[in-house]
Amino acid sequence: MFCHQCEQTAKGIACTTKGVCGKEHSTDVLQDFLIYTLADLAENILETERKGQKNLELDRFLMEAMFSTLTNVNFDPERIKIYIEKAANYFVPKVEPAKDLESLIKQAETYEIKPEFFAGESEEVISLKFAILYALKGIAAYAYHAYKLGEENEEIYKAFKELLVQIYKDSTSDLETWMKRTLETGKLNLMVMELLDKANTSNFGDPIPTKVPLGVKAGKAILVSGHDLKDLYELLRQTEGKGIYVYTHGEMLPAHGYPELKKFTHLYGHYGTAWQNQQKEFSQFPGPIVMTTNCLMPPKDSYRDRVFTLGPVGYPGLKHISDEDFSPVIEMALQMEGFKEDHSGGEVITGFAKKAVFSVSDKIIEAVKKEKIKHFFLVGGCDGAKPGRSYYTEFVEKAPKDTIILTLACGKFRFFDKDLGNIEGIPRLIDVGQCNDAYSAIQIALALSKAFNVEVNKLPLSLILSWYEQKAIAILLTLLYLNIQNIRLGPSMPAFLSKNILELISKQFNLKPITTPDEDLKAILNLT
Ligand code: SF4
Ligand code: SF3
C-alpha cells in the first residue's frame, strides 16, 4: 500500500505496510481502484452531459463514494467493493472489476495511486496532482452533506469531474497549468462550503451563541459524532419524547447553536473532546454511539458493539444504519442504563457563525478603534494525536489579553474549555463552528476588511492552522485561492508536497510552518 494523504502518515513520508490510522493494505488499494473507476465514470458522465443528458444521481454517487476514501471514514474492504461494483454498473468501465474480493484486491494493486503511477511526470506536477486529488476528497464530503439537505450545484459537480479526470488523463508538464488547477480546486471548495452553509442555515437557521454543558444528566444517552447535521436532526426527531438525552462528540459540537436543532430539549450537551480521544471517551460512554462521518478510529472491544455507522462510514463488523432508521440505536439506548447521576462539567459557548459575529460588528469595530482589541488570531483546523499539537494550546494561552481568538473545527478541543475572559463584553474565544464553517470565518474576515477599508492581508488578523485530513487540504487551497498571505501551518507540512512545490507556495503566499508559540507570537505582534 501507499498512502500519504493525512498528517499522521508514517515517518512523515507515507504509510506503506499498514496505515497509522489503522487502514489495511486491502482497503487502501481498493480505495485507489475505486477512485480510478470513479475518474473513468466521471469522464463518461461528462461525455453524456455534452450530449445534453444529465444525471444528478450519478453525481451524488460520485460524492459519496469519493467521501468513503477520506481518512478515518471507511475501513471496510467489503463496503469499498460494493462502491466499485456500483460505479462499474453505471457504465462500461475501462477495467471490469473482478468478482471476488481476493481477486479484486490483487487487481486493485495495479491502480494504486502512488508517485510511480504517474511515471514520467515531474515530481512537482505529481505533488500538485496529489494536492488536487486529496482536496477533491474534502470537497466530496462537503458536497455530500449539502445534497443530503437538498442543496446541490451542477457547476460544482462538473468542475469536480473535470479535475478528477485531469489527474489521470492530463500529463501536461506545465507547472503553471497545474498551479492554476490547484487554486481552482480551492475556489471549488469555497463554492461547496458556501453551498453547505446555505444547506445548514436554510434548514436549521443561522447559529446563535449558545451555552453547551460539558457535564452529563442522569438518564439514557446516545452520543453522536461527525459533521452531518441532517443525521443529527433525524436522530433528534426519532428520539423525541423517549426519555433519552443526546450528546454531541467532536465536530458535532457546533450543532448546539442551530435554532432548529437546539429546539430539541433532549439535545443535552457535549461529551468528550476531539476524534483522537474517542477510544478512551467512547468506552466510558454508557450508551450507543453514532458516527455520522469522519473521524472513526478502529473501535476497541469495550465499545465496538455500541458503535453505529452511517452513510459512507464503515468498519468491518460494526452495525450500519440505512434509510435514516435509528430504531436499533434507540432500542439499545433504552436497554442500557445510561448515566446514573448528574455530573456537572462546566460549559462552553458555540454558535458564533458569521451572522452572530456580524450582529456585534459595531462593538468589535469600536473596540479595535479604541485599541482595546489589538489583534485577531484564527487558531483552527484539525486536531490529532501528535504531541507537537500542544503548540496550539500554548499559543492560545500565551496570546496577549487584548487579542481575540477565533476558532473552528476539531482543533479547538485543545483549548475550547478555557475561560479567556472578554474584551468590552466580546468573548475572547469565539467558536465559529465546524471545519466547513471556514466559509463563515472567511466572511467575517471580508467584513472586517470592508469595515476598516483595508485588504484582508493588511488586517490585524493572523491564521494559525492545524491540519490532519483532506478537508483541511481543501480549505488550505481555498485560502491560497483567496491569496491569504502569512498562514502558519502545522504541526508538519504535507508529505505529498515536494520540496520545490513547498518553496514555491511559501514564496508566493508566505506560508510558513509553525515554530514555537513564543517565537510566532513575537514575530506576528512585532514584540521585542
Ligand atoms: Fe496513513 Fe493517513 Fe493514509 Fe491512514 S490516511 S494510511 S494514516 S496517510
Ligand atoms: Fe476534525 Fe476529523 Fe479535520 Fe472537521 S473531525 S476537522 S480531523
Side-chain angles (χ1 to χ4, degrees):
M1 68 178 280
F2 180 96
C3 182
H4 59 5
Q5 65 178 359
C6 84
E7 195 271 337
Q8 69 179 3
T9 193
K11 299 192 178 95
I13 302 169
C15 296
T16 51
T17 46
K18 184 181 171 172
V20 176
C21 60
K23 181 162 73 169
E24 300 284 352
H25 168 87
S26 53
T27 306
D28 183 67
V29 293
L30 288 175
Q31 285 180 337
D32 282 2
F33 186 47
L34 170 61
I35 298 170
Y36 176 85
T37 313
L38 293 178
D40 193 4
L41 174 63
E43 197 181 3
N44 197 274
I45 308 174
L46 285 169
E47 222 174 276
T48 42
E49 279 173 1
R50 275 191 287 273
K51 291 181 197 142
Q53 293 164 23
K54 278 185 191 148
N55 190 340
L56 284 174
E57 200 199 308
L58 283 186
D59 287 327
R60 288 178 206 135
F61 168 75
L62 260 181
M63 299 305 126
E64 179 182 338
M66 191 73 165
F67 187 4
S68 76
T69 71
L70 197 132
T71 299
N72 287 356
V73 173
N74 202 317
F75 296 82
D76 190 348
E78 291 285 358
R79 288 275 308 281
I80 305 300
K81 180 173 179 274
I82 294 171
Y83 279 126
I84 294 172
E85 286 164 352
K86 213 170 157 193
N89 268 338
Y90 283 126
F91 72 127
V92 184
K94 286 193 190 76
V95 184
E96 189 64 48
K99 294 276 175 279
D100 65 290
L101 186 62
E102 215 174 297
S103 322
L104 186 65
I105 294 168
K106 270 264 140 309
Q107 181 185 26
E109 283 165 357
T110 321
Y111 300 92
E112 253 206 290
I113 313 166
K114 51 186 174 185
E116 295 87 314
F117 186 84
F118 302 105
E121 300 182 35
S122 74
E123 212 190 337
E124 290 75 25
V125 167
I126 296 173
S127 243
L128 294 179
K129 282 192 169 185
F130 275 117
I132 295 172
L133 175 66
Y134 294 157
L136 287 179
K137 296 187 181 199
I139 291 170
Y142 293 149
Y144 169 83
H145 297 305
Y147 83 63
K148 276 182 64 188
L149 284 166
E151 290 295 338
E152 45 196 342
N153 175 330
E154 289 175 28
E155 205 189 320
I156 294 177
Y157 288 153
K158 183 163 180 276
F160 183 98
K161 286 176 291 206
E162 282 168 351
L163 285 160
L164 184 59
V165 172
Q166 279 159 359
I167 292 169
Y168 286 92
K169 284 291 167 82
D170 195 338
S171 52
T172 173
S173 58
D174 180 33
L175 201 55
E176 221 173 282
T177 303
W178 284 105
M179 219 27 221
K180 212 171 127 227
R181 285 176 182 162
T182 306
L183 298 181
E184 269 167 22
T185 312
K187 179 183 174 194
L188 190 62
N189 185 56
L190 180 63
M191 288 167 73
V192 82
M193 287 195 300
E194 181 179 13
L195 191 72
L196 181 53
D197 180 78
K198 188 172 159 215
N200 285 340
T201 54
S202 62
N203 280 277
F204 305 118
D206 276 290
I208 38 181
T210 303
K211 284 184 183 158
V212 184
L214 298 177
V216 301
K217 252 195 144 22
K220 315 271 182 202
I222 297 176
L223 188 60
V224 190
S225 192
H227 302 66
D228 202 291
L229 300 187
K230 170 80 164 34
D231 290 334
L232 174 64
Y233 175 77
E234 282 305 325
L235 177 71
L236 287 168
R237 230 174 35 81
Q238 292 176 37
T239 44
E240 206 171 10
K242 294 223 159 38
I244 300 170
Y245 289 113
V246 175
Y247 296 81
T248 53
H249 185 269
E251 275 279 73
M252 207 51 106
L253 166 64
H256 291 273
Y258 288 86
E260 289 301 309
L261 296 173
K262 62 187 270 174
K263 73 174 189 200
F264 293 97
T265 49
H266 65 299
L267 174 62
Y268 177 70
H270 186 80
Y271 182 88
T273 50
W275 68 270
Q276 78 279 2
N277 302 321
Q278 67 187 251
Q279 291 176 328
K280 190 169 152 249
E281 292 169 357
F282 288 1
S283 66
Q284 288 162 2
F285 190 82
I289 299 145
V290 178
M291 295 298 298
T292 69
T293 57
N294 57 322
C295 284
L296 173 71
M297 290 175 87
K300 294 270 181 223
D301 288 342
S302 55
Y303 63 86
R304 164 190 306 272
D305 59 339
R306 291 188 276 122
V307 182
F308 293 80
T309 60
L310 282 172
V313 191
Y315 195 92
L318 293 191
K319 296 182 237 349
H320 193 72
I321 294 287
S322 35
D323 303 324
E324 298 180 339
D325 176 10
F326 288 99
S327 34
V329 180
I330 297 169
E331 234 164 80
M332 184 182 280
L334 292 173
Q335 272 163 19
M336 290 184 66
E337 206 181 0
F339 288 105
K340 286 198 194 96
E341 50 194 40
D342 291 2
H343 183 80
S344 89
E347 58 185 20
V348 290
I349 304 180
T350 190
F352 287 101
K354 55 184 184 324
K355 288 243 171 102
V357 175
F358 294 163
S359 70
V360 291
S361 59
D362 286 354
K363 252 172 139 181
I364 296 176
I365 292 164
E366 188 62 23
V368 174
K369 284 189 178 150
K370 287 199 312 211
E371 294 196 16
K372 299 274 183 202
I373 297 175
K374 294 259 180 58
H375 206 90
F376 296 88
F377 294 107
L378 175 69
V379 188
C382 309
D383 204 354
K386 278 196 186 164
R389 290 184 184 265
S390 58
Y391 165 96
Y392 298 95
T393 322
E394 218 186 294
F395 187 96
V396 166
E397 281 169 352
K398 290 186 165 166
K401 298 270 176 288
D402 52 7
T403 60
I404 297 269
I405 314 282
L406 295 155
T407 190
L408 50 83
C410 64
K412 69 167 131 311
F413 291 109
R414 296 268 158 183
F415 46 78
F416 79 130
D417 52 354
K418 295 203 179 308
D419 182 7
L420 300 185
N422 64 76
I423 302 173
E424 312 261 291
I426 304 156
R428 279 196 59 225
L429 183 61
I430 294 181
D431 179 10
V432 182
Q434 299 179 327
C435 47
N436 38 289
D437 296 313
Y439 176 72
S440 245
I442 289 166
Q443 299 311 309
I444 293 169
L446 293 176
L448 283 175
S449 105
K450 209 167 147 207
F452 294 108
N453 201 20
V454 290
E455 60 151 315
V456 173
N457 287 319
K458 295 264 159 42
L459 282 172
L461 166 70
S462 307
L463 275 66
I464 318 292
L465 304 183
S466 53
W467 82 283
Y468 168 61
E469 36 75 348
Q470 298 79 57
K471 297 180 194 180
I473 299 167
I475 294 170
L476 180 66
L477 296 191
T478 298
L479 296 171
L480 299 185
Y481 160 72
L482 292 169
N483 191 28
I484 306 293
Q485 301 276 323
N486 306 317
I487 297 170
R488 282 175 166 78
L489 182 66
S492 63
M493 288 290 139
F496 55 85
L497 293 180
S498 73
K499 198 171 149 271
N500 286 347
I501 290 296
L502 268 177
E503 267 173 30
L504 193 98
I505 293 177
S506 308
K507 223 165 120 195
Q508 195 173 337
F509 302 99
N510 207 13
L511 175 103
K512 33 189 164 268
I514 54 168
T515 61
T516 66
D518 288 317
E519 255 182 68
D520 287 350
L521 276 167
K522 207 166 124 185
I524 293 167
L525 301 171
N526 297 319
L527 304 171
T528 44

